[in-house]
Amino acid sequence: MKLIDSLATREGFISDIERKKRLGQFFTGVALGRLLSALASAQNVSSIIDPMAGSGDLLVACLEIGASPKVLAAIEIDPEAHSVCSKRLSNSICVRGNAFDKKILSELPLKEWDLVIANPPYVRYQSTGKMVGKNFKLPSAVQIRNGLIDALDDMTALNDIDRKLFKTLASGYSGVADMAVPSLILCASMVAIGGRLAFVIPEAWLTRDYASVIHYLLLRWFVIEYVVEDNNASWFLDAQVKTSLIIARRVVRKNDVFDWQGEYFSKLILSGKASGIDGPVSLLYPNDKNPEFIFSNNAKQSLISGSASHNEFLVSYPVLFKNFSQNLKAICSKQKWFGMVQSEINAPAFSSSAGYVIPTRLASWLEGNIANFVSLESLNISIGQGLRTGANDFFYSAYISGDDNESLIIPSQEYRVDVLSVPSDCLVPVIRRQSELSDGYMILGAQLSGRVFDFRKYALPEDIKAGGAAAKKLYSPMPQELAKFVRKVASINLDSNGKRIYELSAVAPNIRKGIPVRQVPPRFWYMLPDFAKRHLPDIVFPRINGGAPKAWLIDQPSKIAVDANFSTVSVISAGVIPDCYALFAFLNSSWCNAVLEYSASVMGGGALKVEAAHIRRIPVPKVSASKWVQLSRLGHGLAYERKGINEIDKLVLSCIFSEKVKNEKIAKLLELVDEGRARRLK
């Protein structure tokens, strides 16, 4: 530990933990590597490479299961890890350097490989903003992208069209993607046709919008064979996240990534009960010396037969590529790179109205009824996130009393002001935290004590004077007591460097100079951007959910602001969905509950993170106008009487299956909901 800490300090990192995060070093371990390499048939190939090898766990694992390739190679940028890797794999080619550097790649003996195996570094984009390190340089996000694009020129596994499309993907992937995205594009470009790509991935990563570029790549140039899921987050105890193994075989580029019929891959969900000291499946076959081979052979039989099985150790079932690609279509429709790829191959783009995702666990339960859906956005529903103030302690306060003209509030204790008198029209009721939610389904504005400042009518006298005629016309001077408070907040040093509130990166954009010649007034640091519908919604979901994800209805739509701790939903205008009550009823159905359980992000402690993107992708059955009216009635009952979920479920499922549903069908859906919740809480 002292050795590594010393290296971390020498390289300019605060600590070994910071260094580990910047390098994305969560090493796989040989035991898990044996399972991955067995599923990838490493023992049958003649060339293997790990381009982000770390200390060499995955390559050692390949050798332990009997692989004897003619060429075994590794690339690793960290000198400490590279040294360990070189010693463990003395007969291999271990190159030290940046895998996105064309010169480093040129040191390899091959351009294309039978097996590319990897646990790519999961370094968040915030950490790759600039180059760091002294004796070894960690490239910035821009350098990684440029290096990847340059490196693709030498990848002989790609023909000219492949290379052009890969470069489009490399140029177009999201700037907020973590380092795993370019890493996997690089890995995929190195796989020979007929070879395999095998990698480790966090399960939550699979639901990220920015990962859709990798999903597209896999469906276009590969055939996925297995997705193996760690059901109890038992594989990486130091990372405390659920992970998956993905194994895919390289094929000639398909013309249409969405043209699938009855083909499928195998989804295998491994319980922590199967894991022992000798590996993730050692207790699944306790009397066998080679449990990974037994597991791999059984998985191959399941892939051939398309059969499903279920026991306390393992759940396996086939997943249709048709369903998988349909879900991808929902995400791709909004990605810039997708439009570029489609135009390059003269393929038509498609409407985002099909922007929904059906989780694979629910697709088989639907019994083929997967085309009978539309997206929420196609029904004129607005979905977003609540208000981001950037300096909550200033903008939020507690309401004491008041009338239409003047109100008394308690600002943050940080400013040492017990009570403050302010104009009532500069305050908006706000809900900030889950602790403010009621036990039922309604948020009552009259019961909210929180307020958020809305200074669209008021400014400091000195700011009005400096702002010219347009400012004098729009703004009234703040009352003396309020002005004194705002000035006091502006004068406080927020840190040892003397940073003030108006210099914060989240507050400074509030400041605008205005355009005097057009009579556009300036705006000042204490003025939040104009509230949008997503800030004043009809319905909210807490973003972090320990229990079931649940929608709350606001009793005063467009009058109560909502903090960014919530995802927000609103009916833009009455149409197919007649009102917010109908939408509220649908969003609290067990169908929506199940979709979110299997599609939203599971956090380290088992909480479910429900973002706007997850709500946006909820599949909505094609509900007739008369049934939407029924849902509106049921929504009233749920909001005011806290009853009617069973009737809502019957109505929603009758639309999904185009028939009257029996209680057994609802019971099965509830079982799936419970299964999903138990799965994440474990």
Side-chain angles (χ1 to χ4, degrees):
M1 180 61 72
K2 289 183 178 179
L3 222 167
I4 297 177
D5 282 341
S6 175
L7 180 60
T9 303
R10 291 200 307 270
E11 290 300 325
F13 296 100
I14 296 173
S15 65
D16 179 50
I17 293 176
E18 184 199 11
R19 180 178 183 273
K20 181 177 180 178
K21 286 183 177 179
R22 182 58 179 84
L23 285 162
Q25 287 182 333
F26 291 94
F27 295 147
T28 314
V30 175
L32 180 59
R34 287 198 300 267
L35 180 59
L36 180 63
S37 54
L39 286 165
S41 300
Q43 70 277 13
N44 299 325
V45 303
S46 62
S47 59
I48 305 174
I49 186 171
D50 183 346
M52 297 90 186
S55 59
D57 286 347
L58 290 176
L59 297 178
V60 170
C62 289
L63 298 179
E64 286 196 3
I65 68 154
S68 55
K70 294 179 181 177
V71 183
L72 184 71
I75 302 176
E76 175 51 41
I77 194 171
D78 177 12
E80 194 72 19
H82 175 267
S83 175
V84 175
C85 184
S86 298
K87 292 175 182 176
R88 297 173 79 188
L89 299 162
S90 56
N91 294 323
S92 67
I93 299 165
C94 292
V95 180
R96 178 185 157 188
N98 170 20
F100 298 98
D101 186 333
K102 198 172 182 178
K103 293 180 180 178
I104 295 298
L105 291 168
S106 69
E107 296 182 32
L108 298 171
L110 300 175
K111 299 290 186 181
E112 50 189 275
W113 302 78
D114 295 331
L115 173 59
V116 179
I117 190 167
N119 177 4
Y122 302 101
V123 182
R124 298 182 68 186
Y125 76 96
Q126 295 96 328
S127 300
T128 57
K130 59 183 180 180
M131 180 185 289
V132 296
K134 295 178 181 178
N135 296 324
F136 71 102
K137 297 292 185 181
L138 298 179
S140 69
V142 172
Q143 291 169 321
I144 288 171
R145 191 189 298 268
N146 291 339
L148 172 60
I149 294 170
D150 194 31
L152 291 172
D153 284 330
D154 291 342
M155 297 303 176
T156 60
L158 307 176
N159 63 29
D160 290 343
I161 297 176
D162 292 334
R163 187 171 294 106
K164 183 178 181 181
L165 294 173
F166 263 66
K167 284 191 171 186
T168 300
L169 299 180
S171 301
Y173 68 79
S174 171
V176 300
D178 63 39
M179 194 173 161
V181 169
S183 297
L184 288 172
I185 294 175
L186 177 68
C187 289
S189 73
M190 302 172 78
V191 184
I193 292 178
R196 284 184 171 86
L197 174 63
F199 58 96
V200 186
I201 208 84
E203 185 192 24
W205 189 89
L206 297 171
T207 66
R208 299 282 191 265
D209 278 3
Y210 61 68
S212 60
V213 67
I214 301 301
H215 297 183
Y216 179 89
L217 185 153
L218 290 174
L219 287 175
R220 194 79 193 275
W221 283 273
F222 291 81
V223 172
I224 300 171
E225 294 178 319
Y226 312 106
V227 175
V228 185
E229 180 184 310
D230 169 19
N231 195 37
N232 301 109
S234 58
W235 295 348
F236 288 84
L237 297 179
D238 55 342
Q240 294 184 339
V241 296
K242 296 172 70 173
T243 47
S244 293
L245 309 179
I246 297 181
I247 296 90
R249 177 171 46 85
R250 173 72 200 279
V251 296
V252 174
R253 183 188 70 255
K254 292 183 283 293
N255 290 328
D256 187 354
V257 74
F258 303 109
D259 183 21
W260 297 91
Q261 301 304 317
E263 304 95 329
Y264 56 86
F265 63 87
S266 283
K267 178 73 176 283
L268 304 115
I269 304 173
L270 265 173
S271 167
K273 294 179 181 179
S275 183
I277 58 173
D278 294 324
V281 294
S282 61
L283 297 185
L284 190 57
Y285 312 105
N287 299 318
D288 199 286
K289 294 182 179 180
N290 300 298
E292 295 84 13
F293 276 120
I294 302 296
F295 183 88
S296 175
N297 289 334
N298 289 342
K300 289 172 185 175
Q301 292 303 313
S302 295
L303 184 62
I304 293 170
S305 65
S307 60
S309 64
H310 186 291
N311 59 51
E312 64 175 323
F313 295 105
L314 175 67
V315 175
S316 68
Y317 54 89
V319 176
L320 289 170
F321 281 108
K322 185 176 182 179
N323 298 350
F324 189 78
S325 65
Q326 174 67 35
N327 290 346
L328 178 62
K329 184 183 291 187
I331 303 169
C332 285
S333 62
K334 296 194 174 184
Q335 303 294 317
K336 291 181 180 179
W337 59 263
F338 177 74
M340 296 165 62
V341 170
Q342 291 293 90
S343 64
E344 286 182 359
I345 59 175
N346 297 317
F350 44 74
S351 170
S352 62
S353 63
Y356 58 84
V357 169
I358 301 175
T360 56
R361 191 71 183 96
L362 300 180
S364 58
W365 175 75
L366 287 174
E367 300 172 349
N369 294 281
I370 61 171
N372 193 32
F373 294 95
V374 295
S375 70
L376 281 167
E377 287 186 310
S378 71
L379 298 175
N380 218 21
I381 302 302
S382 168
I383 302 161
Q385 188 178 354
L387 181 67
R388 292 180 178 273
T389 67
N392 292 351
D393 286 341
F394 166 71
F395 289 103
Y396 289 123
S397 60
Y399 175 78
I400 302 175
S401 63
D403 53 31
D404 291 342
N405 298 315
E406 186 178 16
S407 294
L408 296 178
I409 61 171
I410 302 176
S412 169
Q413 294 180 356
E414 179 181 351
Y415 304 119
R416 298 180 181 178
V417 175
D418 293 331
V419 179
L420 185 66
S421 176
V422 301
S424 294
D425 58 357
C426 75
L427 298 175
V428 176
V430 65
I431 182 163
R432 295 181 62 187
R433 304 180 181 92
Q434 286 195 54
S435 58
E436 300 171 44
L437 295 172
S438 67
D439 292 334
Y441 291 85
M442 287 282 285
I443 296 173
L444 303 175
Q447 296 179 0
L448 295 176
S449 62
R451 295 294 184 269
V452 62
F453 281 132
D454 179 10
F455 287 130
R456 282 179 288 180
K457 296 180 181 178
Y458 297 92
L460 291 171
E462 58 268 32
D463 287 339
I464 295 175
K465 182 178 180 180
K472 292 176 183 177
K473 183 178 180 180
L474 182 62
Y475 304 127
S476 298
M478 288 183 185
Q480 185 175 355
E481 186 179 351
L482 177 59
K484 181 180 178 181
F485 171 70
V486 173
R487 294 186 190 107
K488 178 179 181 179
V489 173
S491 68
I492 295 174
N493 293 334
L494 299 180
D495 58 27
S496 58
N497 296 321
K499 180 174 284 190
R500 307 293 177 87
I501 188 170
Y502 49 80
E503 296 174 319
L504 296 175
S505 60
V507 176
N510 295 342
I511 303 171
R512 298 181 186 177
K513 292 182 178 180
I515 308 174
V517 295
R518 297 182 184 176
Q519 288 294 296
V520 176
R523 293 176 69 96
F524 309 104
W525 68 264
Y526 43 83
M527 295 179 174
L528 293 171
D530 292 343
F531 293 161
K533 185 60 180 172
R534 65 188 177 91
H535 303 134
L536 304 165
D538 302 336
I539 297 165
V540 300
F541 278 91
R543 291 176 66 210
I544 308 300
N545 299 268
K550 174 181 169 182
W552 268 263
L553 183 69
I554 295 177
D555 72 334
Q556 300 174 37
S558 301
K559 294 183 179 180
I560 295 174
V562 174
D563 183 79
N565 288 322
F566 297 88
S567 296
T568 63
V569 188
S570 298
V571 178
I572 299 174
S573 60
V576 176
I577 299 180
D579 55 32
C580 60
Y581 289 98
L583 178 60
F584 165 70
F586 171 72
L587 291 174
N588 276 300
S589 67
S590 296
W591 166 249
C592 290
N593 203 324
V595 170
L596 292 174
E597 280 292 351
Y598 288 98
S599 63
S601 300
V602 178
M603 302 182 71
L608 194 68
K609 190 172 187 180
V610 177
E611 301 280 22
H614 302 131
I615 301 169
R616 196 172 287 124
R617 295 180 200 152
I618 292 175
V620 185
K622 294 179 180 178
V623 182
S624 66
S626 62
K627 288 189 175 180
W628 275 119
V629 171
Q630 291 180 53
L631 278 173
S632 176
R633 176 180 56 80
L634 292 169
H636 273 87
L638 184 62
Y640 295 103
E641 301 176 33
R642 304 184 188 182
K643 65 180 184 179
I645 289 291
N646 191 58
E647 288 77 11
I648 292 170
D649 286 345
K650 285 182 179 179
L651 198 154
V652 170
L653 293 187
S654 71
C655 296
I656 292 175
F657 293 99
S658 302
E659 61 184 26
K660 187 176 181 180
V661 296
K662 297 180 180 180
N663 287 331
E664 290 80 0
K665 200 76 175 178
I666 297 175
K668 180 58 180 177
L669 178 60
L670 293 175
E671 283 182 21
L672 290 172
V673 171
D674 290 341
E675 178 188 318
R677 189 167 305 127
R679 172 172 156 264
R680 66 173 163 95
L681 292 177
K682 287 179 181 178

